[in-house]
Amino acid sequence: QRTVRLPDDRVLWTFQDAFIGGRMVHNAAMVQSGRCFTMLGRADRSWLLAGRTDRFERWHWILGGEVGVHGNAVHLFVVEMTETGDRYLERPRPTAMRRVVVNLDSLKAVKMVLLDPTGLHLYGWSVTSNNRFTYLYSHCYRQFGCPTLFGFAPCSESVKVARVPRGKLWAARQYWNGSEWVRGYRNAVPVVDGSFAFSGNNPAQIRFDGSRFVLIEKRDDWWGSTVEFGVSKSPHGPFRHVASIPEPAKGGDECNTYFASWVPWTVRPGVSIWGLSHNTWDGTGSIGDIRVYRPTFHVIGV
């Protein structure tokens, strides 16, 4: 689950691989107004890029997003995934990145832009803004089927960052090279790596809370057992590790957790709400009891 707060205080929720009426779709969305939720699109197909989807073979997962500078659209980064193995999620690989523009009045996609490749790194995995810039954090999203101990690729430990003027998601990007912002993604260096929480997979979600950049991640994602937190005064770090808590799993050894993310509210200043995804190791238990699959939400002071 990922969230984008809209200018009128509604919240756009997006989901990957969601079950709607017993059928799994590769992406789904709801808009929240107060305590009311309205599902977007149709229940029998993915919300975005359904016409380009071959179920379980080629699909699209929604990553981060931000409201554009004009305030009338939200820009969502969407990764195209292709299964290169014999069964679903055996060896999926990112094959394209798009920016999808969703009109805030109709909540329908009105534009789709195929983005230039940026090597292994998918900028837009996490998106946040301060008063001057919008920051696009990367992750290579090669989490399964790699010839390593836990199946994720070595690039999974590196988080890099680009920036554009606030809300101008179409603008030319600058990348942090370790000392300054420059053009050219090949000059980018990690702002989070394996030294943060000693994690070999850093699917970090980073949010500007008004004064600091706060980081959350599930250590080693599927394979770890703790949720890690960091803070930095700067968008490019260094991120100081401030908390590590045991994963709040739902069940026994057959259950696991993954993908920790921020929710765009605070209980009070310094106390944030975060969500965590749940599943069973082989996925079959979640299909049998969908309550296992639903995310949970928690609070922490950082």
Side-chain angles (χ1 to χ4, degrees):
Q1 68 290 332
R2 297 167 186 262
T3 53
V4 180
R5 197 160 195 165
L6 306 181
D8 58 6
D9 222 29
R10 293 179 300 168
V11 175
L12 177 67
W13 291 76
T14 64
F15 304 89
Q16 299 176 359
D17 284 8
F19 288 91
I20 304 174
R23 177 182 172 84
M24 196 199 80
V25 297
H26 287 295
N27 65 71
M30 298 188 300
V31 65
Q32 179 184 1
S33 180
R35 293 179 178 269
C36 296
F37 293 81
T38 303
M39 194 187 82
L40 303 179
R42 289 167 39 178
D44 62 343
R45 58 186 295 178
S46 294
W47 178 51
L48 296 181
L49 295 159
R52 294 175 177 264
T53 296
D54 299 314
R55 201 161 179 254
F56 302 133
E57 296 179 7
R58 184 182 66 161
W59 64 93
H60 302 85
W61 280 339
I62 302 170
L63 306 180
E66 183 63 285
V67 174
V69 66
H70 303 300
N72 60 354
V74 60
H75 299 248
L76 299 174
F77 292 92
V78 181
V79 59
E80 177 185 288
M81 303 293 291
T82 299
E83 181 54 70
T84 64
D86 294 330
R87 63 183 185 275
Y88 186 55
L89 299 186
E90 179 181 63
R91 197 166 59 240
R93 295 293 182 265
T95 47
M97 273 282 282
R98 294 176 172 86
R99 177 172 54 86
V100 178
V101 183
V102 177
N103 178 274
L104 292 186
D105 290 329
S106 66
L107 291 173
K108 294 181 179 179
V110 294
K111 186 177 183 181
M112 178 189 71
V113 180
L114 183 65
L115 301 178
D116 292 334
T118 51
L120 292 175
H121 294 276
L122 309 177
Y123 290 90
W125 169 264
S126 178
V127 182
T128 194
S129 298
N130 61 13
N131 60 343
R132 293 188 61 198
F133 296 100
T134 294
Y135 299 95
L136 313 176
Y137 292 90
S138 78
H139 185 62
C140 72
Y141 219 5
R142 286 161 170 80
Q143 293 184 300
F144 303 107
C146 296
T148 58
L149 178 61
F150 295 125
F152 46 76
C155 62
S156 297
E157 76 171 36
S158 297
V159 178
K160 300 181 180 183
V161 63
R163 74 179 187 183
V164 296
R166 181 185 173 102
K168 295 184 178 181
L169 285 305
W170 56 87
R173 299 174 182 175
Q174 295 179 313
Y175 298 84
W176 181 250
N177 75 349
S179 58
E180 61 182 335
W181 295 96
V182 297
R183 296 288 177 88
Y185 74 87
R186 291 183 177 86
N187 297 308
V189 301
V191 298
V192 178
D193 59 21
S195 64
F196 182 80
F198 306 103
S199 177
N201 185 5
N202 292 301
Q205 292 290 289
I206 297 166
R207 181 174 69 87
F208 182 65
D209 71 357
S211 61
R212 306 167 302 163
F213 292 83
V214 290
L215 178 156
I216 184 174
E217 69 176 38
K218 171 73 186 304
R219 179 181 175 182
D220 290 326
D221 211 29
W222 279 72
W223 298 102
S225 59
T226 56
V227 181
E228 312 291 348
F229 299 85
V231 298
S232 175
K233 288 288 187 181
S234 165
H236 48 72
F239 286 88
R240 178 172 56 91
H241 185 266
V242 294
S244 178
I245 65 171
E247 60 175 343
K250 286 185 176 182
D253 292 340
E254 73 277 9
C255 294
N256 72 328
T257 68
Y258 60 104
F259 192 69
S261 63
W262 296 113
V263 174
W265 301 279
T266 55
V267 177
R268 56 184 180 277
V271 180
S272 298
I273 304 172
W274 58 278
L276 186 66
S277 297
H278 297 261
N279 210 329
T280 55
W281 287 104
D282 63 1
T284 58
S286 299
I287 296 172
D289 184 355
I290 200 65
R291 292 173 297 180
V292 175
Y293 194 50
R294 290 173 182 158
T296 57
F297 298 92
H298 314 267
V299 298
I300 189 169
V302 291

